[in-house]
Amino acid sequence: MIRIGVDAMGGDNIPENVILGTAAYCASCISDTEVTLIGDKEKITEACQQNGLNPGNFCIEHASETIGMGEHPVESYMKKTDSSIVKGFRMLSDGRIDVFAGAGNTGAMSVGAVYGIRPLTGISKPCIPIVIPCLDGTFTVMLDVGMNPECKPDSLYQYAVLGSIYAKEYLKVQNPSVALLNIGAEEEKGSMALRETYKLLSYTKGINFKGNIEPREMFLSSKADVIVTDGFVGNIVLKVVEGVYDTLTAAGMKNEALEKFNYEMYGGTPVLGAGAPVVIGHGASSPLAISNMIKKAADTVRIGLIDKIKRSFENYGN
């Protein structure tokens, strides 16, 4: 049985969206999972009743506090010890759940992934990947997309390793190619951190490094299976893509390729490098996105992603 903890107080329109998404997942999931909603029991019960759902059908772990989307991540995590996020990481650390998933304050989720359960040995900063669909039907993994706004070369190097492992497991690419997101293809382009990372990756055995890639090359075809960047640039790219999707959809454009950029269909993404399975969803998650986030959480445990990262990371000399 896969035990999934879900932050019921994370994201927009809480806890209603989380409850409806959880109900949709439970109605369609296979029987090897058990979901626990973590949050204010009174509010969860009230939301269930308002939506015609029996609160008795849900496992609920009461948490009296909530970390808001705009709160300072470290300060709120340290002070709000009975918040749904802190309690979720505590349950994960204690072995009461197998994976923790939430669409709340990304910074607080990041703090929990570092201090609540600790990163894997050899990894200084866990990161968040996304899978980018390309027009020709291929896919590319990009990381980090928001967990670490500032990165030194050693962290970017680790992202290249983590991204390669993730591409092997989720995209089934045997020898993933890796590129650095930059303003030009030349080796001397970009910041000092990017130039130093370029040198590191060029001389590393086991990483199929292809050099730099420009943002305009990312979406027609997978010029690289893994694209490495820091969390600041990655998050900007992610939000620009979301904005373009929303704009074209609002303009009435309907296209199969365009719909692949709908975040609702992906739900969430695992935190790579964390010491236990953690999945982060979009702050604006709809019930459909929440349902898919929970599915991704179950899949992360089912394929044993953490153990595979542990074993694979050793092969890169770390």
Side-chain angles (χ1 to χ4, degrees):
M1 179 69 69
I2 298 173
R3 300 164 300 168
I4 306 168
V6 177
D7 178 10
M9 313 308 291
D12 292 348
N13 194 28
I14 55 169
E16 183 174 22
N17 280 3
V18 178
I19 291 168
L20 293 175
T22 302
Y25 170 79
C26 292
S28 62
C29 74
I30 56 179
S31 58
D32 71 335
T33 59
E34 176 185 83
V35 181
T36 297
L37 294 173
I38 306 168
D40 189 308
K41 187 171 184 178
E42 183 177 339
K43 292 181 179 178
I44 293 172
T45 300
E46 182 180 348
C48 285
Q49 294 171 342
Q50 290 176 348
N51 286 276
L53 298 171
N54 181 0
N57 291 336
F58 297 93
C59 297
I60 302 173
E61 180 75 20
H62 179 65
S64 62
E65 297 176 299
T66 299
I67 296 177
M69 298 297 279
E71 292 190 59
H72 189 278
V74 176
E75 182 179 337
S76 56
Y77 190 92
M78 297 304 177
K79 288 185 176 181
K80 293 188 172 182
T81 56
D82 197 46
S83 64
S84 53
I85 289 179
V86 174
K87 182 159 267 188
F89 278 105
R90 191 180 302 134
M91 292 174 67
L92 184 61
S93 178
D94 292 343
R96 294 174 58 196
I97 54 177
D98 301 309
V99 56
F100 179 47
N105 188 308
T106 301
M109 291 288 287
S110 301
V111 172
V114 173
Y115 297 104
I117 53 174
R118 305 290 182 182
L120 293 172
T121 301
I123 298 174
S124 57
K125 293 182 177 181
C127 61
I128 307 172
I130 60 166
V131 176
I132 298 173
C134 300
L135 190 61
D136 65 353
T138 58
F139 295 88
T140 297
V141 175
M142 183 174 74
L143 67 173
D144 180 26
V145 294
M147 201 161 184
N148 300 294
E150 297 181 9
C151 294
K152 295 180 179 179
D154 63 332
S155 292
L156 294 173
Y157 166 82
Q158 291 169 14
Y159 296 169
V161 176
L162 290 169
S164 296
I165 297 169
Y166 191 69
K168 287 180 182 178
E169 294 301 324
Y170 276 91
L171 302 185
K172 304 304 179 184
V173 180
Q174 292 303 310
N175 185 30
S177 56
V178 178
L180 286 172
L181 188 62
N182 210 328
I183 58 174
E186 298 82 4
E187 181 178 350
E188 66 274 9
K189 290 285 188 177
S191 65
M192 183 178 293
L194 285 174
R195 296 196 299 271
E196 289 299 315
T197 306
Y198 192 107
K199 293 177 183 178
L200 275 175
L201 296 177
S202 295
Y203 295 104
T204 300
K205 294 181 179 180
I207 294 181
N208 184 14
F209 183 54
K210 297 297 185 181
N212 292 325
I213 187 173
E214 295 184 42
R216 63 187 180 88
E217 300 178 283
M218 293 170 53
F219 303 104
L220 292 177
S221 63
S222 55
K223 297 293 181 68
D225 299 304
V226 178
I227 297 175
V228 174
T229 186
D230 61 62
F232 181 78
V233 173
N235 195 257
I236 288 177
V237 172
L238 175 62
K239 288 178 178 176
V240 168
V241 171
E242 291 176 351
V244 171
Y245 171 82
D246 290 341
T247 300
L248 294 178
T249 302
M253 182 176 291
K254 293 184 179 181
N255 182 279
E256 183 179 348
L258 178 64
E259 195 56 32
K260 291 180 181 179
F261 289 92
N262 183 358
Y263 76 90
E264 291 181 304
M265 305 310 296
Y266 300 92
T269 184
V271 177
L272 299 184
V278 178
V279 172
I280 293 180
H282 198 293
S285 288
S286 64
L288 174 60
I290 293 292
S291 178
N292 284 324
M293 178 187 72
I294 300 172
K295 182 178 183 299
K296 177 59 70 68
D299 290 342
T300 299
V301 176
R302 198 172 283 120
I303 70 169
L305 182 62
I306 301 299
D307 287 337
K308 288 179 178 179
I309 289 177
K310 283 181 182 177
R311 292 195 299 269
S312 298
F313 209 76
E314 296 173 355
N315 297 331
Y316 292 89
N318 290 280

